[in-house]
Amino acid sequence: MAPALINANPIVYEKKERPARIRQPGDNGFDEYAPELIDQLEIFEHIRDIKDPEHPYSLEDLKVITEDAVEVDDKRSYVRVTFTPTVEHCSMATIIGLCLRVKLMRSLPSRFKVDIRVAPGTHATEDAVNKQLNDKERVAAALENPNLVDMVDECLHPSYE
Amino acid sequence: MKRLSSKRLEDRTVHSLIGFFSDRLSDWRALHGVLVGCLALMRRKSDTGAISSSDASVVARSFMENLQVQSYGQQDRKLCFEILECLLDSYFDAALTLKDEFIYVICEAIDAEKDPQCLLITFHLVELVALKYPESSEELTSYAEDLFNILGSYFPIHFTHPKGEDDVKREELSRALMLAFASTPLFEPFSIPLLLEKLSSSLPSAKIESLKYLSHCTVKYGAQRMLKHHEALWSSLKDSVFTSATSSLAVGPEHQDNKIVAEALILLQKLIQQDNASFLNLILKDVEIGMSLKTLSNYKSHDDISEPDKQRLNAVGQILYVSAAASAASCNAVFQSFFSGLVNGLGSMTLDEKPHFGYLYICVELLAACRTLVVGPSTTTYPESESWCGILHGICSSLTSSLVKSMKESTKDVDSHYSVKGLRILASFPGNFMPVSKSTFENILAEFISVISLNFNNTSLWRSVLNALAEIGSYIEEYHDSEKMPSFDVIVVERMVALLSSDDSTMPLSLKVEAVSEIGKTNLKYMLKIVQELNKAICTSLHEYWLDGNSKSAERAMLLLECYSVKVLPWFDNIEVTNDVPMHFALKIWDEIQVSTIFSNSLKEKKLLEITMNAMKHAVASCSEVSQSLILDKAFNILSSSTSFQLDEPVQPAEYSCRDEWIISLFDSVITALHPKTHLNNTNQILQILMRALQNGHVPSAHALGSLLNKMPVKDNKLGADSDAQFCTLEEAIDITINRYISDDNNEIGVSNLKSSNVNDGLEHVSVHGIVGLAWMGKGLLMRGHEKVKDVIKFLLNCLISNESIDSSAVCQDMMRAAADSFGIIMSDSEDCLNKRLHATIRPLYKQRLFNMVMPILRSSVVKSDSPITRSMLHRALAHVITNTPLSAIMGEANKLIPLLIDGLTILSEDVQNRDIVYNLLLVLSGILTDKNGQEAIVENAYIIIRCLNKLVFYQHMMLVRETAIQCLTAMSELPYATIYRFSTEVLQTLSRALDDPKRSVRQEAVKCRHAWTKISS
């Protein structure tokens, strides 16, 4: 028998529309050399399509992450993502966090420091999870585990399409 | 087996054969062969010896006794059905002798059939049964229910599995079933309830299907039988219309995006047409519709109505429209019960000063309905005795005035939009249709015109009124309405023309031009009138501009000319009537130039000249050969009368005044647009003049020269040698033009001559202009496939290469760049000249030919050259050639080209100025990468490609280059593992830096690409 699901029946929220970024008016206004800073939306684009480890929905569908939960400072090379597990005792929280971290690790320049945390008050063992997710050694160790890596890769797959 | 259907066989042979086959039907082991044999025999035509009726009944009997159709395989079942079909079709007498047993056998055979191909025959079988047996016959009546039960279970047709390739289409099946359903009225007691039941299902496709079937059956079953279902039909019809109507309000026979509604309305129309009174009464007395109409006064304005209410309103409107439009009698009934109430409601807003959108909408809907009755294709006489005409006549004027009022006063766009629609419908009744009088028509037109000339600030209203006017105009044109034409002429067209010529600046010119051209498009007569006025306006504004460089009149002229070349000329191209409009236009402009001899010297507006040239080109291009020569003569006269174009002056470039510039440019435009067959006088002089202009760096002259060389006849046999001296052949033309630069005996000297003469005279740019001119001429020659192009190319190549001996001063560099770019000119398509619209002679595959000609030379010289400048210039030329050659030609030589291409990318990317060339080259590379034929060449050169791409990922001058480079890398990751795995570390390093690119889209590509490459390395 398959192990029981932690949250068998999650609420699926309606997705926000994805408006295309407003281009600079006309091609003439396009400045070849002006840098476009990495911003909230860009980070969110990277992680919104990650699949939930349990369900065939994306993290955005389940409101585990929202655009507002991303803080970014390009100049100081700092990103913080705060995510909200669907239920308080969700044991998948660490997996979700790991997925977020791996995806951002692969998508952001190496200068960035990535901080992943559970939203305060939404998880039973909040501190433990946070500690685990931001401990380099433990993340590295987790990524040595082929089962975990497979699982993470499966979750990340939709976000590359 | 028996496949020789056309061979004559004796009756006896046929008889014994069929006897044999029908006997063997009992042998299940030989069944397939026997079935094929039977079928072949039965399908024989009587002229080659067919089986007799008695034989057929033997077959049928044996069939009935021996076959258990449903237990066979699909192929055999199909054959069985075909035999039955054949029996019914050709040997019905035989079938009839078997009485009801035969139908029983059919029922048994087709019961629970599942294969779509067999089903198709099955349905046809049932249809045949129903058709062949007389309606009253005992057999059919007794089996109707059974037959229908078998059929009914298939409805609605719905495939649960995805279709195979050669499977029967769903539509086909559904159609066959529909025909079977409707084949006999005897099915009516069973089919209608079934269909109604399916109609209430929630599956949209089932709804559409059942509505379709119902409309078809209604016609087939006849009014009598349908009568008892009317109430049920109406209620479910109403339901489906009300629930699935969209909330966007449609008027009249507009396209319904909802298929259910569309089908329902068709059914409604059929029902009403079949049986006027009773069904219509249902509608008229319907409580829900009555309620909706009563509450119309609540709907003040389109935007205030809630979505469900809009849906409801649309449904009611559509139902009423269809019912009124179904027939004259139904129209009478609908008008009698509703119309005057509606108009009163609409009129009542004059009292309480509020728009009544609900009334407005339904009124417009009904108007549209009665118009379809009047202008329908079948009606030739207008049913003025019908009572609805009377009603309409009675309230026409009040209706018009309320509509006008609501058009003007309503603040919301949508509301006024509907009023305009209503007025438009009123105005487009035929002229001899009495209820809508001529004065009403004129009244409406006058109101529209006043909106056009005064209310231009309200753009949406303005546009819809303009559209309405154009539609009325084209309606009058279409029906040759002699009564309305004069009023339209006077009220609309005259006013429009006046609008154009008037100087008042309250109304923006762009709007005026738009209005005028829209109206003109409706009718040739109007267009001619308008064109006259346009010509006049263009000339005056050009004139004013030339006199004092007035920027306002320049703008005016630009707008008018733009309208001319974008709207008017294409319109004339499309109509078949031959006309001189373009010619008159061209001549008029030349006249204007001739007359105005004083030009202000401060004419800065280059754009106006460009637009004028463009209009001139298009005008001349659409003229016939004869008119072209007329224009050309005129232009040449003006040209030669101007002093600065005299040929006897010393050969040195003259400074052109503004007027000269205009004259020569427009002259070039004329030349560029000529037909190949147009007769040219004074070719010699023209060529001389153009060559002079060319030395001044006048690019349009280069275009003209190129076009001339492209189109001139090779040798004119008719005129022979003793033709007038001013005429010359292509060879002579080449002598005059090209050979001035290239002397045949020694190219090297030609080049150095060119150079040294320039250096001596201190005229740095002359040589560059010469090269540009040569490029255009070369293009003209290349496109017609003339041999001389080789010399031109050789010369250009020499310009590129032979520089090594001479110092690489700035002059030489300019020249080399020009020579390199000339390959771009030769290879690329141009908007300005030498294209299809301007009648160029274009041989197919000319680009490939040049590619094959130039490539080997360029390749070897790249290898030979050692000066960096020459090398980069050579690559520049090469890049031009490669990017403009069709990809398929490149593919053939991909293996040899790729190293060159990569080399070129590396060298060219060092200079910022080359960034567009780099981008185009990169696109070619990505084209090779994505083509499956290019794989091999890519694999062989993988290393250098990846090294080059890795560099281009950081090409700081152009985002698109970086983006494309990364995309190419992504495409490379698809190559065989063995080829690319060793590059993965390098590529991943590059990409991790690219993640920090300043541009977002590059970063996104980098993420994707990195993912693709990580998969390889892990």
Side-chain angles (χ1 to χ4, degrees):
Chain A
M1 201 184 90
L5 295 174
I6 308 288
N7 180 6
N9 194 15
I11 306 164
V12 180
Y13 298 87
E14 208 168 296
K15 265 188 223 183
K16 256 201 324 191
E17 276 177 58
R18 303 187 183 191
R21 275 175 189 273
I22 305 142
R23 281 250 160 180
Q24 284 86 351
D27 276 337
N28 315 342
F30 181 73
D31 182 0
E32 194 64 63
Y33 301 105
E36 297 165 337
L37 292 181
I38 296 179
D39 62 5
Q40 224 180 5
L41 182 59
E42 186 173 338
I43 303 279
F44 186 55
E45 293 280 354
H46 285 312
I47 53 180
R48 68 197 303 173
D49 288 322
I50 297 176
K51 191 181 80 71
D52 184 88
E54 275 192 348
H55 305 285
Y57 299 110
S58 70
L59 293 187
E60 188 193 7
D61 287 332
L62 301 174
K63 287 229 170 128
V64 172
I65 46 167
T66 57
E67 195 180 336
D68 298 330
V70 177
E71 294 163 61
V72 59
D73 188 339
D74 194 7
K75 297 240 168 65
R76 286 164 51 211
S77 305
Y78 179 76
V79 176
R80 168 189 287 191
V81 179
T82 312
F83 70 99
T84 318
T86 48
V87 283
E88 262 192 16
H89 50 276
C90 182
S91 64
M92 290 291 164
T94 44
I95 296 286
I96 295 176
L98 191 61
C99 287
L100 289 171
R101 175 170 288 281
V102 170
K103 174 74 202 207
L104 290 181
M105 237 163 58
R106 290 183 188 167
S107 313
L108 292 179
S110 49
R111 63 186 164 91
F112 271 85
K113 173 172 176 7
V114 180
D115 195 0
I116 309 269
R117 51 181 62 240
V118 179
T122 58
H123 199 269
T125 54
E126 193 182 314
D127 289 339
V129 173
N130 282 344
K131 208 165 186 184
Q132 198 177 350
L133 284 176
N134 293 306
D135 185 332
K136 264 189 198 169
E137 303 277 323
R138 288 176 78 174
V139 170
L143 293 179
E144 296 283 318
N145 179 343
N147 289 336
L148 266 179
V149 171
D150 281 350
M151 201 162 173
V152 168
D153 275 339
E154 198 200 320
C155 293
L156 294 191
H157 185 69
S159 70
Y160 283 110
E161 279 161 6
Chain B
M1 296 305 122
K2 298 289 149 194
R3 296 266 163 91
L4 21 92
S5 60
S6 57
K7 192 172 181 322
R8 167 86 213 166
L9 288 177
E10 275 175 42
D11 285 352
R12 217 151 39 91
T13 331
V14 176
H15 177 75
S16 58
L17 274 174
I18 196 76
F20 169 71
F21 278 128
S22 44
D23 192 38
R24 301 302 296 171
L25 273 178
S26 57
D27 182 2
W28 60 270
R29 274 163 300 196
L31 187 71
H32 184 74
V34 173
L35 286 174
V36 171
C38 274
L39 195 61
L41 279 172
M42 287 169 68
R43 280 193 176 156
R44 294 182 68 86
K45 298 271 158 47
S46 54
D47 55 339
T48 50
I51 60 170
S52 67
S53 169
S54 58
D55 289 336
S57 62
V58 172
V59 175
R61 201 165 286 283
S62 162
F63 189 100
M64 284 158 57
E65 279 162 11
N66 295 316
L67 296 188
Q68 291 295 321
V69 180
Q70 280 307 318
S71 58
Y72 304 136
Q74 187 250 347
Q75 289 294 327
D76 292 341
R77 286 206 307 272
K78 196 175 167 200
L79 285 171
C80 290
F81 291 136
E82 274 168 344
I83 288 180
L84 285 175
E85 197 182 0
C86 199
L87 271 174
L88 276 172
D89 222 9
S90 323
Y91 306 100
F92 183 61
D93 309 338
L96 209 53
T97 56
L98 298 171
K99 299 271 161 102
D100 53 351
E101 266 178 78
F102 188 64
I103 300 189
Y104 176 73
V105 166
I106 292 180
C107 286
E108 202 180 58
I110 63 178
D111 197 7
E113 176 58 61
K114 281 191 191 68
D115 181 68
Q117 286 184 16
C118 297
L119 274 178
L120 203 57
I121 306 174
T122 314
F123 294 155
H124 187 225
L125 210 56
V126 177
E127 194 193 341
L128 274 179
V129 170
L131 286 179
K132 291 280 176 172
Y133 285 91
E135 209 171 285
S136 53
S137 73
E138 215 175 296
E139 292 94 341
L140 197 56
T141 12
S142 53
Y143 278 102
E145 190 171 359
D146 289 345
L147 272 175
F148 190 79
N149 278 342
I150 294 166
L151 278 187
S153 54
Y154 294 112
F155 182 84
I157 306 274
H158 180 69
F159 284 164
T160 45
H161 301 294
K163 283 169 263 183
E165 272 181 16
D166 53 359
D167 246 356
V168 187
K169 292 254 167 57
R170 204 187 76 87
E171 287 78 31
E172 240 176 283
L173 260 182
S174 152
R175 216 188 130 59
L177 184 59
M178 178 161 83
L179 288 176
F181 261 45
S183 57
T184 167
L186 288 175
F187 286 157
E188 171 265 330
F190 320 110
S191 65
I192 302 286
L194 174 79
L195 291 172
L196 283 176
E197 186 198 314
K198 295 289 175 197
L199 184 57
S200 58
S201 86
S202 57
L203 201 66
S205 68
K207 277 193 174 194
I208 295 174
E209 287 277 284
S210 29
L211 284 168
K212 238 189 231 167
Y213 279 42
L214 276 173
S215 353
H216 193 77
C217 293
T218 307
V219 178
K220 284 282 152 79
Y221 292 169
Q224 276 297 311
R225 280 176 175 275
M226 293 307 288
L227 192 58
K228 53 182 178 258
H229 297 293
H230 273 170
E231 248 165 87
L233 272 172
W234 167 237
S235 73
S236 38
L237 242 180
K238 196 172 65 181
D239 263 5
S240 56
V241 175
F242 271 80
T243 49
S244 38
T246 47
S247 55
S248 63
L249 300 175
V251 168
E254 274 171 21
H255 176 67
Q256 274 288 350
D257 10 294
N258 191 319
K259 276 196 94 174
I260 301 179
V261 180
E263 288 295 338
L265 292 177
I266 292 174
L267 174 59
L268 183 63
Q269 190 193 4
K270 293 245 163 86
L271 281 168
I272 295 177
Q273 278 169 348
Q274 186 176 52
D275 171 59
N276 269 319
S278 69
F279 199 79
L280 198 61
N281 270 337
L282 277 177
I283 300 178
L284 296 182
K285 299 222 172 80
D286 189 85
V287 187
E288 215 166 330
I289 290 190
M291 275 299 288
S292 310
L293 289 178
K294 278 209 191 83
T295 53
L296 279 181
S297 55
N298 296 340
Y299 308 140
K300 302 289 183 210
S301 152
H302 181 271
D303 298 347
D304 302 342
I305 308 175
S306 64
E307 285 291 310
D309 280 345
K310 265 187 210 165
Q311 212 177 346
R312 203 180 164 76
L313 194 59
N314 188 20
V316 173
Q318 289 291 312
I319 289 176
L320 286 183
Y321 167 75
V322 172
S323 1
S327 73
S330 66
C331 190
N332 284 339
V334 173
F335 264 65
Q336 266 159 8
S337 19
F338 299 132
F339 197 61
S340 47
L342 287 172
V343 177
N344 284 340
L346 190 59
S348 71
M349 72 184 174
T350 42
L351 303 174
D352 51 9
E353 300 282 319
K354 272 183 187 157
H356 281 176
F357 179 73
Y359 287 123
L360 178 63
Y361 173 65
I362 302 286
C363 267
V364 172
E365 199 73 73
L366 285 180
L367 276 179
C370 58
R371 186 173 170 272
T372 42
L373 271 186
V374 176
V375 264
S378 55
T379 40
T380 43
T381 54
Y382 303 117
E384 265 133 52
S385 53
E386 299 284 355
S387 63
W388 66 266
C389 295
I391 298 173
L392 184 58
H393 184 61
I395 50 182
C396 191
S397 55
S398 69
L399 178 63
T400 314
S401 62
S402 359
L403 282 174
V404 168
K405 199 166 153 55
S406 87
M407 169 176 84
K408 286 193 166 164
E409 284 174 3
S410 68
T411 45
K412 303 275 180 8
D413 289 345
V414 195
D415 299 7
S416 49
H417 182 64
Y418 281 97
S419 322
V420 172
K421 260 186 188 166
L423 286 174
R424 191 195 77 209
I425 293 167
L426 270 180
S428 49
F429 277 106
N432 48 357
F433 177 70
M434 290 313 287
V436 183
S437 63
K438 200 169 165 192
S439 66
T440 314
F441 173 70
E442 283 169 2
N443 197 0
I444 293 172
L445 288 186
E447 291 295 343
F448 276 172
I449 283 293
S450 78
V451 170
I452 290 279
S453 49
L454 296 174
N455 287 17
F456 44 81
N457 288 329
N458 183 350
T459 28
S460 85
L461 174 65
W462 191 85
R463 287 262 140 73
S464 68
V465 168
L466 183 58
N467 279 341
L469 272 177
E471 266 176 58
I472 296 173
S474 49
Y475 164 78
I476 291 176
E477 162 75 2
E478 193 183 334
Y479 288 86
H480 304 292
D481 201 324
S482 53
E483 303 220 1
K484 288 190 165 180
M485 188 86 97
S487 348
F488 194 80
D489 272 0
V490 174
I491 300 175
V492 180
V493 181
E494 302 272 298
R495 278 296 306 274
M496 285 284 181
V497 172
L499 210 59
L500 196 59
S501 51
S502 75
D503 271 337
D504 76 302
S505 51
T506 46
M507 185 175 172
L509 185 70
S510 58
L511 288 182
K512 279 187 198 173
V513 170
E514 189 182 338
V516 166
S517 58
E518 282 304 316
I519 298 296
K521 276 181 193 170
T522 56
N523 188 328
L524 180 62
K525 200 174 80 184
Y526 301 156
M527 191 52 124
L528 288 176
K529 227 180 241 176
I530 282 163
V531 161
Q532 249 178 11
E533 211 52 47
L534 259 181
N535 280 349
K536 230 185 272 167
I538 289 175
C539 287
T540 38
S541 48
L542 275 182
H543 198 83
E544 273 168 29
Y545 167 69
W546 288 334
L547 271 181
D548 52 7
N550 186 345
S551 66
K552 226 180 192 172
S553 35
E555 249 163 61
R556 266 178 76 91
M558 278 200 271
L559 265 173
L560 292 167
L561 284 167
E562 197 113 32
C563 158
Y564 213 92
S565 53
V566 173
K567 290 188 176 149
V568 179
L569 286 176
W571 187 83
F572 275 111
D573 282 345
N574 284 337
I575 60 168
E576 265 113 53
V577 191
T578 51
N579 59 74
D580 303 330
V581 172
M583 183 183 79
H584 285 306
F585 169 72
L587 288 178
K588 186 101 184 162
I589 288 190
W590 280 110
D591 276 340
E592 208 54 40
I593 287 191
Q594 193 171 26
V595 172
S596 41
T597 43
I598 310 157
F599 262 56
S600 153
N601 277 325
S602 56
L603 304 184
K604 299 274 181 277
E605 207 55 78
K606 276 270 179 272
K607 206 171 161 219
L608 177 59
L609 179 56
E610 261 169 47
I611 290 176
T612 320
M613 282 172 65
N614 207 9
M616 178 65 92
K617 270 182 209 164
H618 288 162
V620 175
S622 41
C623 285
S624 65
E625 280 93 350
V626 183
S627 11
Q628 281 189 347
S629 353
L630 267 177
I631 299 170
L632 188 61
D633 284 345
K634 171 132 198 161
F636 184 72
N637 283 337
I638 295 170
L639 185 69
S640 46
S641 65
S642 169
T643 46
S644 46
F645 300 110
Q646 299 298 334
L647 286 171
D648 43 349
E649 277 177 49
V651 188
Q652 60 163 298
E655 281 292 304
Y656 289 155
S657 69
C658 276
R659 180 162 185 261
D660 298 333
E661 171 109 24
W662 270 78
I663 292 179
I664 187 80
S665 304
L666 287 179
F667 185 71
D668 292 335
S669 317
V670 173
I671 298 269
T672 313
L674 290 181
H675 273 291
K677 283 183 191 140
T678 305
H679 184 69
L680 276 172
N681 290 321
N682 313 315
T683 325
N684 220 325
Q685 275 153 285
I686 292 176
L687 287 172
Q688 299 281 5
I689 293 172
L690 288 180
M691 287 303 284
R692 288 265 304 288
L694 180 61
Q695 290 188 345
N696 266 4
H698 195 249
V699 180
S701 296
H703 294 174
L705 278 172
S707 306
L708 265 182
L709 290 187
N710 182 252
K711 295 165 188 171
M712 274 172 95
V714 180
K715 230 167 224 157
D716 207 318
N717 292 328
K718 276 181 223 157
L719 294 173
D722 55 354
S723 62
D724 57 326
Q726 286 175 324
F727 182 80
C728 67
T729 63
L730 179 62
E731 302 302 324
E732 287 160 344
I734 290 175
D735 266 350
I736 297 174
T737 53
I738 294 180
N739 290 351
R740 194 145 159 194
Y741 294 102
I742 313 165
S743 44
D744 273 332
D745 42 340
N746 195 336
N747 270 326
E748 299 289 327
I749 292 173
V751 176
S752 43
N753 269 349
L754 189 61
K755 265 175 217 153
S756 56
S757 71
N758 296 331
V759 174
N760 292 342
D761 296 351
L763 299 167
E764 287 93 356
H765 295 295
V766 174
S767 58
V768 175
H769 298 324
I771 288 173
V772 171
L774 268 181
W776 283 106
M777 290 186 262
K779 183 173 168 63
L781 289 176
L782 174 71
M783 283 170 88
R784 71 185 293 171
H786 193 270
E787 284 300 300
K788 188 75 183 174
V789 73
K790 278 188 186 154
D791 293 337
V792 178
I793 300 283
K794 231 182 263 167
F795 176 80
L796 288 174
L797 283 173
N798 276 329
C799 283
L800 272 177
I801 300 160
S802 64
N803 259 37
E804 280 157 44
S805 51
I806 309 171
D807 63 324
S808 49
S809 61
V811 185
C812 288
Q813 271 203 36
D814 276 349
M815 233 183 76
M816 283 163 74
R817 174 163 296 127
D821 286 341
S822 66
F823 284 98
I825 292 176
I826 294 180
M827 288 295 281
S828 62
D829 298 315
S830 164
E831 278 285 296
D832 294 323
C833 67
L834 288 173
N835 51 36
K836 213 150 193 177
R837 194 168 172 196
L838 299 174
H839 311 296
T841 324
I842 305 176
R843 287 266 294 273
L845 299 180
Y846 75 93
K847 286 185 179 175
Q848 278 88 326
R849 220 168 318 129
L850 187 85
F851 175 75
N852 291 335
M853 189 195 316
V854 175
M855 231 5 142
I857 313 175
L858 278 178
R859 195 163 51 220
S860 62
S861 30
V862 166
V863 176
K864 269 187 267 167
S865 77
D866 25 274
S867 117
I869 297 171
T870 318
R871 235 177 125 86
S872 91
M873 286 305 167
L874 278 171
H875 271 299
R876 199 182 163 94
L878 203 63
H880 279 304
V881 176
I882 291 179
T883 47
N884 285 306
T885 311
L887 193 59
S888 53
I890 303 245
M891 279 318 204
E893 309 223 352
N895 212 349
K896 285 186 229 156
L897 273 180
I898 286 178
L900 267 182
L901 217 158
I902 297 297
D903 217 14
L905 275 175
T906 320
I907 289 176
L908 291 174
S909 60
E910 277 160 17
D911 193 347
V912 195
Q913 286 172 338
N914 295 335
R915 60 185 190 186
D916 290 319
I917 305 180
V918 169
Y919 178 54
N920 288 334
L921 263 188
L922 193 58
L923 284 182
V924 175
L925 180 65
S926 81
I928 301 177
L929 264 171
T930 42
D931 194 301
K932 55 180 183 299
N933 297 329
Q935 292 271 327
E936 203 179 311
I938 297 286
V939 169
E940 269 174 46
N941 299 295
Y943 176 60
I944 52 168
I945 296 177
I946 285 186
R947 207 179 47 179
C948 172
L949 287 176
N950 273 346
K951 260 187 229 153
L952 285 178
V953 168
F954 303 111
Y955 186 74
Q956 54 174 336
H957 305 300
M958 199 174 185
M959 181 191 86
L960 285 171
V961 170
R962 298 198 296 268
E963 208 179 330
T964 320
I966 296 180
Q967 281 164 348
C968 287
L969 279 176
T970 316
M972 296 278 294
S973 72
E974 312 265 309
L975 294 178
Y977 181 74
T979 328
I980 50 165
Y981 78 93
R982 55 205 159 107
F983 307 121
S984 65
T985 337
E986 205 179 325
V987 173
L988 284 174
Q989 263 170 13
T990 312
L991 287 172
S992 71
R993 282 211 289 147
L995 286 177
D996 210 1
D997 196 276
K999 292 290 180 193
R1000 189 167 290 123
S1001 55
V1002 180
R1003 293 196 291 259
Q1004 275 162 358
E1005 285 303 326
V1007 169
K1008 277 186 212 154
C1009 185
R1010 193 174 184 211
H1011 179 63
W1013 278 86
T1014 347
K1015 277 196 290 193
I1016 296 165
S1017 61
S1018 64

